[in-house]
C-alpha cells in the first residue's frame, strides 16, 4: 500500500528572505527528506494543489519543484494515480548525506532503474512533463468507446488506415513529401521500419553505408540482421559521399539522417543530397532516410525531407512518434515507393506489425483534430528554451572545458571535450552519479576522432534546474 508522506514542509521553513527561491527550497526539502529516510520509496507526496494551498504558495511554484524532482528521478509521476517517491531509490539507505550521495550512484541507479523513469540528460526522450496527458486520455477513451466491429477484426498489416491518411496529409504539408496513404506503413517504432525494409528489399550480407558517428541502435539492429555495414565519416555537410563511393560504390543501401544528423546535428547539404540521389539511381541502391526529429528546428527555416527530392523512388522514408509524442507508444512509420506497395504488404503480413489498433486510433484522432500541430508548435518553443538553459548552464559551469556544438534543432546537445580527455571515462563518471550522459565514441566506429558527450535537454524544467544539473555533472566528472 502507498504511504502518504508526512515530511514537515511547514511554511516557516520556506523563507522568502533566503537566497534561494521558494521552489528551490521546496525541492531541497524533499530531496533532503528522501536522503534522511523521512520519505521512503513508494510514499505518495501531496498533490500540487493541496501542497500549494497548505503552504499558501502558488501552484506554479510547487509544480516547478516537482518537475525538478521528477526530472532528477526523485519522484515518479503516475498521472491520475498521483506522484510518489521513486521506487527506484529503494534500498539505498536511510540516513544523512551519505545516503544522499549513495542514492544517485550508478549502481543504485542502474540496478534499480525501471524503464518508466527518466535520468537527467537521458538521450532521445521528449519532454514528458509537457505531454498533454488529459487530451490524450480523453482521445484514448473515446477511441475505445467508438471502436466499431470492423475495427475489432484482424487489422490491416500496413496499420490503421485513418492514421495512414493522417500521416500522408501531414507529410505533404510539413515535409514536402507527396504520397498516398497506401504508401504509408505503420511500424513498431523505427526498428520496426528497419525490419520491414530488411525483410522486403535486403538480404543478409548486403553492403550498406552507415554514418560514422551514427545512430548506434540502428547500426546494432542492422548488424544483427546480417548486414555488412561500411562506416562513412560525417563532416559539416553531413555524410562524406566521396569517401563512401571510394569505399563501397556498389553498396546496396545507405542509411542517413539528412535533416539533423544523429548525433552531430549537421544537415546534409543540398549538393550532397542530389549526389546521393544520383548515386542511388545509378546503382539501383536504396536510401533509408531516418527523419526522426526533423520537427524540432529552432533556427532558420525547416529543411524539407530528402524524400521530397526523390524523383526516381529510391528513398524509403522512415520516421517515428517517439520524439514528437512519446517512445512508450512504439509507433513509427515507413513510406515506400508506390511500385513496391504490394511487396511491402506481403512482408508486413508475416511480421508482427505495429500491434493493437487502439493507440494508432488515438494518434490518428490526435493528428486529425489539430492537437498534434499544436503540440509541435508548443514543443518547438519549449525545446529552444530548454536547449538555451542547458547551454548557458554548461558554459557558466565548465567555461571553455566543454565546447558545445551548435545544433539547429533536436533534443540533445553534443559537447566536445579537450583532446586529452576520454569521453568514455567522462560519461562513466557521470553515469556513476546517476546522470545518463553518453560518450560520442560509443557512437563511432572509427577511433580517430575527438571525444564528446551527448546530453539530452528535453526534460530540463528551468534555468535553475539546468544549473543544478550542470553542477552535478561538473562535480561528478571532477571526482570520477
Ligand atoms: C536517430 C534516431 N532514429 C530513430 C529514433 C527512434 O527510434 P524508435 O522509433 O525505435 O524509438 C531515435 C530515437 O532516439 C533516434 O535517435
Amino acid at each position: 500500500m502507498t504511504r502518504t508522506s508526512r515530511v514537515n514542509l511547514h511554511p516557516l521553513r520556506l523563507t522568502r528572505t533566503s537566497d534561494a527561491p521558494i521552489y528551490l527550497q521546496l525541492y531541497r526539502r524533499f530531496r533532503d527528506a528522501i536522503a534522511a529516510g523521512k520519505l521512503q520509496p513508494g510514499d505518495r507526496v501531496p498533490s500540487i494543489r493541496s501542497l500549494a494551498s497548505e503552504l499558501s504558495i502558488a501552484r506554479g511554484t510547487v509544480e516547478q519543484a516537482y518537475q525538478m524532482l521528477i526530472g532528477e528521478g526523485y519522484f515518479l509521476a503516475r498521472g491520475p494515480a498521483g506522484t510518489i517517491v521513486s521506487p527506484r531509490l529503494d534500498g539505498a539507505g536511510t540516513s544523512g548525506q551519505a545516503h544522499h550521495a549513495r542514492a544517485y550512484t550508478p549502481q543504485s541507479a542502474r540496478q534499480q532503474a525501471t524503464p518508466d523513469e527518466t535520468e537527467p540528460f537521458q538521450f532521445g526522450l521528449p519532454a514528458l512533463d509537457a505531454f498533454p496527458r488529459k487530451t490524450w486520455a480523453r482521445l484514448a477513451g473515446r477511441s475505445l468507446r467508438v471502436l466499431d466491429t470492423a475495427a475489432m477484426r484482424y487489422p490491416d498489416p500496413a496499420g490503421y488506415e485513418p492514421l495512414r491518411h493522417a500521416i500522408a496529409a501531414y507529410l505533404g504539408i510539413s515535409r514536402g513529401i507527396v504520397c498516398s496513404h497506401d504508401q504509408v506503413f505503420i511500424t513498431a517504432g523505427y526498428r520496426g521500419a528497419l525490419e520491414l525494409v530488411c525483410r522486403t528489399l535486403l538480404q543478409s550480407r548486403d553492403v550498406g553505408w552507415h554514418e560514422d558517428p551514427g545512430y548506434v541502435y540502428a547500426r546494432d539492429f542492422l548488424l544483427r540482421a546480417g548486414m555488412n555495414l561500411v562506416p562513412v565519416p560525417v563532416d559539416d555537410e553531413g555524410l562524406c559521399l566521396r569517401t563512401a563511393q571510394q569505399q563501397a560504390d556498389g553498396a546496396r543501401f545507405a542509411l542517413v539522417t539528412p535533416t539533423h544528423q544523429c548525433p552531430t546535428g549537421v544537415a546534409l547539404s543540398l549538393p550532397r543530397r542530389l549526389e546521393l540521389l544520383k548515386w542511388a539511381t545509378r546503382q539501383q541502391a536504396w536510401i533509408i532516410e531516418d527523419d526522426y526529429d526533423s520537427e524540432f528546428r529552432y533556427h532558420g527555416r525547416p529543411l524539407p525531407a530528402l524524400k521530397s527530392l526523390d524523383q526516381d523512388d529510391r528513398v524509403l522514408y522512415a520516421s517515428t512518434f517517439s520524439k514528437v509524442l512519446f517512445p512508450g507508444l512504439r509507433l513509427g512509420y515507413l513510406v515506400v515507393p508506390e511500385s513496391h506497395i504490394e511487396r511491402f504488404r506481403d512482408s508486413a503480413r508475416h511480421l508482427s506489425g505495429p500491434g493493437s489498433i487502439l493507440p494508432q486510433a488515438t494518434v490518428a484522432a490526435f493528428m486529425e483534430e489539430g492537437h498534434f500541430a499544436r503540440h509541435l508548435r508548443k514543443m518547438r518553443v519549449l525545446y529552444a528554451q530548454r536547449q538555451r538553459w542547458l547551454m548557458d548552464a554548461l558554459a557558466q559551469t565548465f567555461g571553455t572545458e566543454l565546447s558545445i556544438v551548435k545544433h539547429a534543432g533536436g533534443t540533445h546537445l553534443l559537447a566536445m571535450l579537450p583532446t586529452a580527455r576520454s569521453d568514455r571515462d567522462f560519461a562513466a563518471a557521470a553515469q556513476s552519479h546517476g546522470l545518463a550522459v553518453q560518450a560520442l565514441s560509443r557512437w563511432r566506429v572509427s577511433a580517430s576522432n575527438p571525444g564528446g558527450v551527448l546530453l539530452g535537454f528535453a526534460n530540463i524544467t528551468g534555468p535553475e534546474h539546468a544549473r543544478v544539473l550542470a553542477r552535478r555533472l561538473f562535480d561528478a566528472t571532477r571526482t570520477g
Side-chain angles (χ1 to χ4, degrees), residues 101-335:
R102 232 174 93 196
Y104 300 97
T105 61
Q107 267 68 20
S108 62
R110 198 93 357 89
Q111 280 160 12
Q112 289 149 27
T114 57
D116 57 346
E117 293 179 47
T118 58
E119 286 179 352
F121 300 123
Q122 201 167 321
F123 176 91
L125 212 57
L128 300 184
D129 62 315
F131 186 72
R133 280 174 184 245
K134 271 194 193 146
T135 306
W136 185 261
R138 180 167 57 76
L139 297 179
R142 199 183 64 197
S143 304
L144 189 58
R145 280 195 303 279
V146 302
L147 194 71
D148 59 15
T149 343
M152 292 169 78
R153 294 187 306 218
Y154 281 99
D156 186 326
Y160 186 61
E161 191 170 318
L163 177 58
R164 289 156 55 215
H165 275 283
I167 291 170
Y170 164 72
L171 292 177
I173 296 164
S174 299
R175 307 298 299 128
I177 296 172
V178 181
C179 67
S180 77
H181 75 280
D182 287 325
Q183 291 171 261
V184 179
F185 284 71
I186 312 295
T187 58
Y190 176 53
R191 274 168 260 192
L194 285 179
E195 184 177 28
L196 191 52
V197 173
C198 287
R199 292 289 190 96
T200 315
L201 300 174
L202 304 179
Q203 286 181 350
S204 182
R205 285 195 285 280
D206 271 354
V207 175
W209 298 347
H210 182 259
E211 296 165 329
D212 186 23
Y215 185 44
V216 68
Y217 302 107
R219 184 175 81 206
D220 289 351
F221 180 91
L222 291 172
L223 287 174
R224 280 166 186 258
M227 301 302 143
N228 189 351
L229 295 183
V230 176
V232 178
V234 170
D235 64 15
D236 53 10
E237 282 190 65
L239 185 90
C240 294
L241 238 101
R242 204 57 55 80
T243 316
Q245 285 170 312
Q246 280 161 6
Q247 285 179 354
D249 194 46
R252 181 98 184 92
F253 69 95
L255 184 67
V256 281
T257 46
T259 304
H260 185 238
Q261 203 275 331
C262 184
T264 65
V266 298
L268 188 65
S269 68
L270 184 60
R272 288 202 191 164
R273 284 174 186 237
L274 299 174
E275 200 52 45
L276 181 62
L277 291 166
K278 234 196 270 171
W279 164 80
T281 302
R282 192 178 68 240
Q283 294 293 349
Q284 288 296 286
W286 295 108
I287 300 168
I288 305 169
E289 174 174 19
D290 174 9
D291 206 30
Y292 67 109
D293 73 355
S294 60
E295 289 83 358
F296 303 128
R297 212 177 150 77
Y298 318 122
H299 312 289
R301 296 181 45 220
L303 296 177
L306 174 66
K307 175 73 187 162
S308 68
L309 301 170
D310 177 28
Q311 307 276 338
D312 297 318
D313 268 354
R314 300 314 307 171
V315 177
L316 303 153
Y317 175 90
S319 194
T320 177
F321 286 107
S322 290
K323 306 278 180 174
V324 286
L325 296 178
F326 55 94
L329 257 182
R330 300 318 304 132
L331 286 179
Y333 50 94
L334 179 73
V335 179

